């Protein structure tokens, strides 16, 4: 029988450690925030600081809870260049655009949507652009690179020294993977990168060991499992608990919506619709927007409760937060704004909650969602958000996760599966729809205003191009 399992769930905004017992019980939780710094004018992760925190916390929970295994789930869009045990360049922050001169070379090379089911994305949302950026500006480091590691596998390498790859991350809107062929894309071969990607190993597989120095000075050997892409981990979790025929709304910095029942032909690349890849290698039709980030921006970092009365007040005043407040999403052409009057405090937070509910509802329509709706992650803890979503989607059953940590729990489920264990059961809770008078009419008006802004912005872009 396995001992406890430590799972590092590393998001863009928060880094978390969870400890699971072999029966699936959550034994401990620790949190910190990643620190981003500057390297040669490029924003990069302070990976040494994060690694120090990881080892320190891992030592404490290993001693306290008998941890014998280690697993990773991470946000997308990050990679590392390594040689032996050496990191050749710090890990780039995906929220920075590549130089125009570099973009002019790589962007025309990107494969057609029909091959990768990945649209042309800004910043580092497709790591192929950032990989090419480093190859261009750091040619010596790139030439010396023995392995390009995706972010979960970077941490596997840090703890074991073994370079690996994994398909749910390689296939996460990176322009590196052709989902229908289940192989690297033509871009990888065109740029001669194939040999730099290491062996592909399934998420959760046992891949090595690491020794942790416990607080009493003794050493503890932990089995290390291959890591996974976070939203695909959440999808895997709910499938492994027995759910099928559902749409997952995985929330954090991003709102990632995956509906395996959506036909690939329905994906609109210009609206940030794409195909991820499941841990089993299947195409996973996806739409995403930076809902958690946008909620924080619109609300001014509001952390308190949001009452229905505040929502009703915002609606009564015809105040609308319109897209987009961050890069990506279904409205990439427009800039976020609030119309209808000024709002402050709880009412501004209510406008932010309405915005995320409206965006999620629209996104579910775009991705053809008419099945069971599973809400996971940070926004699942906001009862008003899930209740409004249920009111707006009366034809669908809406459930939320009881623990709201699907990416971490999915990573644990994948690691336990490799040990022959299946401890997790369906723990979702039905959501009772709110009864907010006029919410549907508010939704219709929000869509009208958002689409009007989008049409105007697209017309302006066409005029500028002529």
């Amino acid at each position: 029988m396995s001992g406890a399992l430590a799972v590092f769930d590393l998001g863009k905004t928060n880094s978390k450690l969870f400890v699971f017992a072999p029966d699936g019980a959550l034994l401990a939780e620790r949190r910190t925030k990643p620190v981003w710094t500057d390297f040669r004018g490029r924003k990069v992760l302070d990976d040494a600081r994060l690694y120090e925190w990881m080892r320190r916390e891992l030592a404490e929970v290993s001693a306290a809870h008998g941890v014998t295994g280690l697993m990773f789930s991470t946000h997308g869009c990050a990679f590392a260049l390594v040689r032996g045990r050496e990191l050749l360049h710090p890990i780039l922050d995906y929220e920075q655009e590549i130089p125009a001169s570099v973009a002019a070379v790589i962007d025309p090379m990107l494969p057609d949507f029909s091959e990768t089911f990945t649209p042309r994305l800004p910043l580092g949302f497709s790591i192929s652009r950032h990989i090419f950026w480093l190859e261009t500006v750091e040619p010596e480091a790139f030439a010396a690179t023995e392995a390009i590691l995706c972010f979960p596998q970077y941490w596997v390498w840090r703890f074991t020294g073994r370079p690996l790859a994994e398909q749910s991350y390689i296939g996460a809107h990176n322009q590196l993977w052709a989902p229908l062929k289940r192989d690297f894309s033509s871009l990888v071969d065109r740029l001669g990168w194939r040999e730099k990607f290491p062996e592909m190993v399934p998420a959760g597989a046992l891949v090595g060991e690491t020794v942790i120095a416990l607080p009493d000075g003794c050493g503890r050997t932990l089995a290390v499992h291959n890591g996974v892409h976070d939203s695909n981990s959440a999808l895997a979790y709910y499938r492994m608990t027995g759910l099928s025929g559902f749409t997952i709304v995985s929330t954090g910095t991003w709102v990632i919506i995956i509906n395996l029942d959506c036909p690939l032909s329905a994906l609109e690349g210009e609206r940030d619709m794409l195909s991820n890849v499941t841990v089993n290698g299947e195409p996973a039709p996806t739409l995403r927007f930076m809902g958690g980030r946008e909620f924080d921006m619109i609300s001014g970092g509001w952390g308190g409760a949001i009452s229905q009365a505040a929502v009703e007040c915002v609606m009564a005043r015809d105040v609308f937060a319109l897209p987009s407040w961050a890069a990506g999403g279904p409205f990439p052409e427009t800039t976020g704004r609030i119309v209808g009057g000024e709002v402050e405090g709880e009412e501004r937070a209510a406008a932010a909650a309405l915005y995320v509910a409206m965006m999620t509802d629209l996104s579910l329509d775009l991705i053809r969602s008419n099945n069971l709706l599973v809400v996971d992650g940070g926004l699942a803890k906001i009862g008003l958000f899930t209740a409004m979503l249920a009111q707006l989607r009366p034809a669908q059953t809406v459930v939320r996760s009881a623990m709201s940590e699907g990416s971490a729990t999915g990573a644990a489920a994948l690691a336990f599966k490799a040990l022959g264990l299946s401890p997790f059961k369906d723990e979702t809770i039905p959501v009772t729809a709110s009864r907010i008078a006029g919410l549907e009419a508010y939704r219709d008006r929000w869509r009208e205003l958002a689409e009007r802004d989008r049409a105007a912005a697209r017309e302006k872009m066409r005029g500028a191009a002529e």
Side-chain angles (χ1 to χ4, degrees):
M1 176 66 69
S2 167
L5 175 74
V7 176
F8 283 109
D9 184 18
L10 306 177
K12 183 61 163 40
T13 306
N14 296 289
S15 297
K16 296 164 282 188
L17 167 62
F18 299 94
V19 180
F20 294 91
D23 64 359
L26 180 62
L27 301 177
E29 179 179 344
R30 309 284 180 88
R31 293 173 182 260
T32 190
K33 290 185 178 294
V35 174
W36 302 89
T37 186
D38 180 80
F39 178 80
R40 299 178 183 173
R42 299 182 280 275
K43 192 176 181 183
V44 299
L45 175 68
D46 187 342
D47 66 295
R49 181 181 300 195
L50 186 55
Y51 183 58
E52 180 181 353
W53 174 82
M54 294 167 77
R55 292 195 70 90
R56 182 175 64 252
E57 299 294 341
L58 189 56
E60 292 184 6
V61 299
S62 294
H65 301 288
V67 171
T68 60
L70 178 59
M71 177 65 178
F72 308 90
S73 173
T74 81
H75 68 79
C77 312
F79 67 96
L81 306 179
V82 305
R83 174 179 58 190
R85 296 304 299 263
E86 178 186 6
L87 176 64
L88 297 173
H89 188 282
I91 294 168
L92 291 169
D93 179 354
Y94 65 70
E95 291 187 79
Q96 55 190 324
E97 187 55 85
I98 66 177
S101 59
V102 178
V105 178
I106 184 61
D107 287 352
M109 294 186 193
L110 298 178
D112 289 341
F113 187 80
S114 61
E115 179 185 354
T116 62
F117 291 94
T118 297
R120 304 295 173 92
L121 299 171
L123 310 177
F125 294 169
S126 171
I127 65 173
S128 60
R129 301 177 85 236
H130 271 196
I131 293 172
F132 187 78
W133 181 20
L134 290 191
E135 183 177 20
T136 302
V137 299
E138 299 285 354
E140 293 183 2
F142 194 85
T145 296
E146 295 175 350
I148 301 173
L149 302 180
C150 292
F151 201 35
Q153 285 64 54
Y154 168 73
W155 294 109
V156 170
W157 170 82
R158 281 297 298 260
F159 280 90
T160 70
R162 184 177 177 186
L164 296 169
E166 186 278 323
Q167 58 188 346
S168 76
Y169 204 101
I170 286 284
H173 50 83
N174 290 331
Q175 295 283 14
L176 302 172
W177 195 252
L180 297 182
K181 294 193 305 180
R182 298 197 177 197
D183 193 11
F184 286 105
S185 71
S186 58
L187 179 71
V188 173
D189 289 324
R190 180 176 183 177
L191 295 174
W193 291 350
R194 184 181 284 259
E195 64 180 18
K196 291 187 181 292
F197 287 100
E199 174 189 4
M200 194 82 67
V201 175
L206 283 164
V207 294
E209 294 181 339
T210 192
V211 177
I212 298 297
L214 301 182
D216 64 5
C218 295
R220 171 76 58 83
T221 299
L222 307 183
V224 179
H225 299 258
N226 198 21
V228 64
H229 177 242
D230 55 6
S231 57
N232 282 294
S233 178
L235 174 66
Y237 167 64
Y238 292 105
R239 297 178 83 186
M240 292 171 74
T241 64
L243 296 183
S244 62
F246 65 92
T247 300
I248 183 170
V249 181
S250 178
T251 68
T253 301
W254 288 85
V255 172
I256 308 289
I257 302 174
I258 303 176
N259 178 18
L260 296 181
D261 292 339
C262 177
L264 292 175
S265 60
L267 299 179
E268 300 178 52
E270 62 186 13
R271 306 207 76 166
D272 214 343
M273 301 178 72
L274 48 88
S275 178
N276 277 309
V277 173
T278 73
V279 296
N280 301 320
E282 310 148 286
T286 302
L287 187 152
R288 78 251 175 88
F289 64 97
M290 254 188 184
R293 172 71 56 76
E294 291 183 300
F295 176 84
D296 288 342
M297 293 176 69
I298 298 169
S299 72
W302 181 265
I306 304 172
S307 66
Q308 181 170 319
V311 167
E312 290 171 340
C313 182
V314 168
M315 292 171 54
R317 293 175 54 198
D318 285 333
V319 173
F320 298 87
L322 298 175
S324 290
W325 297 75
F331 295 92
E333 307 93 344
T334 60
T335 300
R337 63 193 181 107
I338 293 178
V339 300
E342 294 295 323
V343 282
E344 300 295 338
E346 185 183 353
E347 289 188 5
R348 190 172 180 92
L354 281 163
Y355 171 84
V356 179
M358 298 301 113
M359 284 285 284
T360 303
D361 177 58
L362 173 68
S363 298
L364 289 166
D365 281 350
L366 289 173
I367 205 163
R368 309 283 182 90
S369 176
N370 58 12
N371 47 22
L372 175 68
L373 195 55
V374 180
V375 185
D376 176 81
L379 293 180
K381 301 174 185 177
I382 303 176
L384 188 61
F385 167 73
T386 56
M388 288 194 296
L389 196 59
Q391 180 177 343
L392 293 169
R393 315 290 299 182
Q396 292 177 264
T397 298
V398 181
V399 299
R400 66 173 180 85
S401 168
M403 69 173 298
S404 303
E405 298 290 353
S407 61
T409 314
L414 290 165
F416 281 135
K417 180 182 178 181
L419 302 173
L421 302 176
S422 182
F424 298 108
K425 308 303 178 186
D426 178 16
E427 44 74 39
T428 56
I429 300 171
V431 172
T432 300
S434 59
R435 296 181 178 178
I436 301 175
L439 184 63
E440 293 80 5
Y442 182 92
R443 182 260 311 276
D444 294 343
R445 180 58 175 161
W446 182 91
R447 288 194 182 188
E448 179 185 349
L449 293 172
E451 293 292 354
R452 181 184 300 172
D453 281 0
R454 179 172 183 256
R458 289 167 67 84
E459 181 63 31
K460 185 176 180 179
M461 292 166 60
R462 280 192 292 267
E466 292 176 355

